[in-house]
Amino acid sequence: MKKYFANLTEALQNFLIEVGELSYFAGRFFKEFWKPPYEFKEFLRQCFYIGNRSLLLVSVTGFIIGLVFTLQSRPTLQEFGAVSWMASMVSVSIIREIGPIITALICAGRIGSGIGAELGSMKVTEQIDAMEVSGTNPFKYLVITRILATTLMLPLLVIVGDFIAIYGSFLVENIKGNVSFTLYFNQVFNILEYSDIVPATIKTFFFGFAIGLVGCYKGYNCKKGTAGVGKAANAAVVYTSMLLFIIDFVAVFVTNIFYDL
């Protein structure tokens, strides 16, 4: 029993230390963000790299989500004679919750692990130390550009993924119920309101920030040689996924408070 409590105490202590170090890392980001020089070229390169690397995966996943969600929901709605509500139900569900969180989780595995492995390999091979010796600020060049790129690109990827998911849903309805493109998307845009789109879009910026922050933190502080690179990439995905669900819960909770007022 004493050993169990000792392990639990050690795990809790390590968790609190990790949270403190991550918070310090985030504070350093906001402190360094405003200071020149500004690495615009590297920022744009990271935006292209992150968006281009994830676009195909996000598109395919969104398309499959739209197909499967509609195929699974249609029989139930048919029993209640509510198939006409399919477009409304699918669009609200995807825009509000399914699209943002699924896209964020995909990008956490795709982008977060890549950033963690890239910076981790640079850390263990002392490339980051070499940048400091040469007079370059590695934190601004490597960390700030990547965090800003993920923060900006994730909402764009979510928008693309949402549209493709809704289009996949339309294909099922077109085949099963002979619903035209104009009718389906008229129903989609008639049911959507700013209260559905704006909160869902705002939280994707926080999702992107979390992915970039955790990936850079794990890679930038990588230790224990080349074995630590794999651990950094794996930890970046695990920590980011957990953080995404926490952010999503807080976002939904705060949104419901404002709407109840």
Side-chain angles (χ1 to χ4, degrees), residues 111-168:
I111 300 171
S113 62
I115 292 175
E118 182 183 11
L119 295 188
S121 63
M122 296 180 69
K123 182 70 173 181
V124 299
T125 56
E126 299 182 351
Q127 294 182 48
I128 294 179
D129 296 335
M131 293 177 67
E132 291 179 346
V133 172
S134 64
T136 304
N137 187 342
F139 194 89
K140 286 190 69 68
Y141 187 82
L142 299 175
V143 175
I144 292 180
T145 54
R146 283 164 173 77
I147 294 178
L148 290 179
T150 54
T151 304
L152 177 64
M153 294 308 298
L154 188 70
L156 300 179
L157 291 171
V158 169
I159 292 172
V160 173
D162 289 350
F163 177 79
I164 293 177
I166 295 174
Y167 183 77

Side-chain angles (χ1 to χ4, degrees), residues 15 20-21 30 34 44 60 62 75 81 84 88 115 154 172 205 222:
F15 173 76
E21 291 179 348
F30 288 110
W34 304 102
L44 294 176
V60 172
S84 60
S88 303
I115 292 175
L154 188 70
V172 175
F205 286 96
C222 178

Side-chain angles (χ1 to χ4, degrees), residues 2 38 41 72 114 151 159 162 221 237:
K2 290 183 179 180
Y38 305 108
K41 289 185 178 180
Q72 293 283 7
T151 304
I159 292 172
D162 289 350
N221 295 287
V237 177

